[in-house]
Amino acid sequence: MRRLGRRSRWLVASGVAAAMAAGLVTAASVRAETDGNWPYGGGGKSKAVVLAAVGDIACQPGEAEEGEKPTDLCSHTRTAAMVATADQVEAMRPDLAAIMGDEQYQTGRYEDFMGSFDRTWGAFKFLQRPAPGNHEFYTSHGETGVEGTGYFDYYNGYQVNADGTPKLTTFTDAKGNTFTQPLPQPHGQAGTTGEGWYSYDVNGWHIISLNSQCKVMPGGCDPNGSWMRAQTDWLSADLKAHPGACTLAYWHQPLFSASGDVSREGKVSKEWWKLLYRHHADLVLNGHEHLYSRFAPMNPDGAADPAHGIREFIVGTGGEGLDKLAPSTPKPAAATDQFYGVMKFTLTPGGYSWRYDSAMKDPDATTGASSYHDTGSGHCH
């Protein structure tokens, strides 16, 4: 059978996205209407499942919004990096893709998703299991668009009027100007709209996507604030309901930094780490820092714990610029700030392996190696 090229798959995904938003097709019918090959036909019949993982992906299309710099837009480098990581996923042929936030810069409007992210990563949209980042739940750049409206429009679909036009909701920016976005469906691929946390099971693994973007929500980032308390209580119940599985959790901003950045969501992340550690979780994945780093297994205080610790990966190298590594405690076991790339996890019942391969070197990095690789494996607790 003929394999769909990346652009052809983007056209399929974009058409399907519009039809699903209008309630005309379901994800199941997508498989029947394609030629059966990846991405909608699955990655194969292996006993192992491949999970791609990365965050911080798509540059902002068009013109700069108020308060932004021209460097925030889709430069040649950022566009090339976004295409390179999409091509890397195509070559990887994963069964699913965990996206750790900041899918779309700068303010995550629906039209920005369609004008940038969807043109590359949209080719395998329905394999994606996203988490939102601060550029989806935003209050900066002269705008106010809380609760990730454009993000939920893109992943969950939007509501339509009787004539097929989108139902709209209106926001007011910091200058008093108004702008509209489609009104998202209440539930969908990214969980419940306005919440954005959910879990799924694959090949003996229980995988959890969390929403760390608490700043703009009721109660803020206080772990006992109403919005965060609801999510943490849900996480506790979810972990209790899956006691025998290997466990992987991901969200946007990491508890342990490789760039010296102190997360404003640190108290929340610490609560989640305690719960995950108590329930013998194996892996935590994050984005936000535009670099790659891997930490040795550790407890929620960052102390080494080879027997029971959780291994944290930061994979914020999807295409939207790169950050610099900085001294941090604990120190990563492996790290680079010169490359864009996507992580490949191979999940088997009782274990996992990882492989990070660079997709493109930062053109500003004129010294050092031309590529980067980090591989390894581990067993579930």
Side-chain angles (χ1 to χ4, degrees):
M1 289 186 292
R2 180 181 59 85
R3 182 176 178 225
L4 289 175
R6 182 167 60 80
R7 176 167 172 77
S8 297
R9 290 202 312 277
W10 172 72
L11 292 172
V12 169
S14 297
V16 168
M20 288 191 74
L24 300 177
V25 300
T26 65
S29 69
V30 171
R31 299 185 187 93
E33 294 177 7
T34 64
D35 65 4
N37 283 340
W38 188 90
Y40 301 109
K45 296 182 179 179
S46 170
K47 292 182 180 179
V49 165
V50 173
L51 178 73
V54 75
D56 306 276
I57 297 170
C59 52
Q60 182 186 308
E63 299 179 357
E65 305 291 347
E66 183 176 357
E68 295 177 344
K69 303 178 228 182
T71 52
D72 290 328
L73 301 179
C74 285
S75 65
H76 173 75
T77 295
R78 293 185 185 192
T79 300
M82 176 174 59
V83 170
T85 56
D87 286 346
Q88 189 177 28
V89 174
E90 178 181 1
M92 190 185 300
R93 297 168 66 90
D95 297 277
L96 294 171
I99 315 296
M100 287 94 74
D102 283 2
E103 288 82 0
Q104 178 61 61
Y105 286 73
Q106 285 287 332
T107 54
R109 290 190 186 184
Y110 176 71
E111 57 266 32
D112 292 339
F113 268 96
M114 296 306 297
S116 184
F117 183 89
D118 193 68
R119 292 180 178 273
T120 52
W121 283 70
F124 37 90
K125 173 180 177 179
F126 294 105
L127 298 184
Q128 295 171 29
R129 300 296 180 265
N134 52 288
H135 284 273
E136 281 82 42
F137 275 60
Y138 55 87
T139 56
S140 57
H141 303 290
E143 297 192 12
T144 300
V146 298
E147 300 183 15
T149 301
Y151 166 85
F152 289 114
D153 282 332
Y154 182 72
Y155 281 111
N156 288 358
Y158 55 78
Q159 300 180 40
V160 296
N161 298 305
D163 63 358
T165 58
K167 291 184 178 179
L168 300 177
T169 183
T170 300
F171 296 99
T172 303
D173 67 18
K175 298 288 188 179
N177 302 312
T178 60
F179 65 96
T180 60
Q181 291 282 269
L183 186 65
Q185 295 282 356
H187 306 283
Q189 189 170 346
T192 298
T193 293
E195 294 180 354
W197 55 83
Y198 58 94
S199 62
Y200 52 100
D201 296 298
V202 58
N203 208 28
W205 281 77
H206 186 61
I207 304 179
I208 304 165
S209 175
L210 296 169
N211 182 358
S212 62
Q213 302 314 305
C214 48
K215 182 179 179 182
V216 298
M217 303 308 288
C221 293
D222 183 342
N224 292 312
S226 60
W227 190 78
M228 282 315 312
R229 187 74 266 159
Q231 183 170 188
T232 302
D233 288 347
W234 173 88
L235 174 60
S236 178
D238 186 73
L239 289 167
K240 289 176 182 177
H242 299 84
C246 302
T247 302
L248 180 158
Y250 57 93
W251 60 90
H252 185 53
Q253 291 179 286
L255 176 60
F256 300 105
S257 171
S259 71
D261 183 29
V262 178
S263 171
R264 64 181 175 229
E265 283 82 17
K267 290 182 179 179
V268 171
S269 295
K270 186 69 172 286
E271 288 289 309
W272 294 345
W273 262 77
K274 288 178 179 178
L275 272 173
L276 291 163
Y277 183 79
R278 193 179 310 145
H279 287 272
H280 312 294
D282 303 284
L283 299 173
V284 164
L285 316 181
N286 303 111
H288 189 61
E289 298 185 345
H290 297 191
L291 46 79
Y292 170 75
S293 65
R294 168 176 58 85
F295 292 82
M298 53 191 167
N299 67 22
D301 294 320
D305 187 348
H308 305 289
I310 300 172
R311 194 187 301 273
E312 179 190 281
F313 290 87
I314 302 174
V315 193
T317 51
E320 220 292 326
L322 292 171
D323 295 335
K324 292 296 183 183
L325 289 164
S328 59
T329 304
K331 182 180 179 181
T336 181
D337 57 7
Q338 294 190 346
F339 298 92
Y340 299 94
V342 178
M343 172 68 82
K344 176 183 179 180
F345 286 101
T346 302
L347 306 178
T348 58
Y352 62 95
S353 64
W354 72 86
R355 182 177 184 91
Y356 180 86
D357 288 306
S358 56
M360 174 180 152
K361 185 169 182 176
D362 182 358
D364 293 331
T366 57
T367 60
S370 60
S371 62
Y372 180 85
H373 313 277
D374 181 45
T375 63
S377 61
H379 296 286
C380 297
H381 295 138

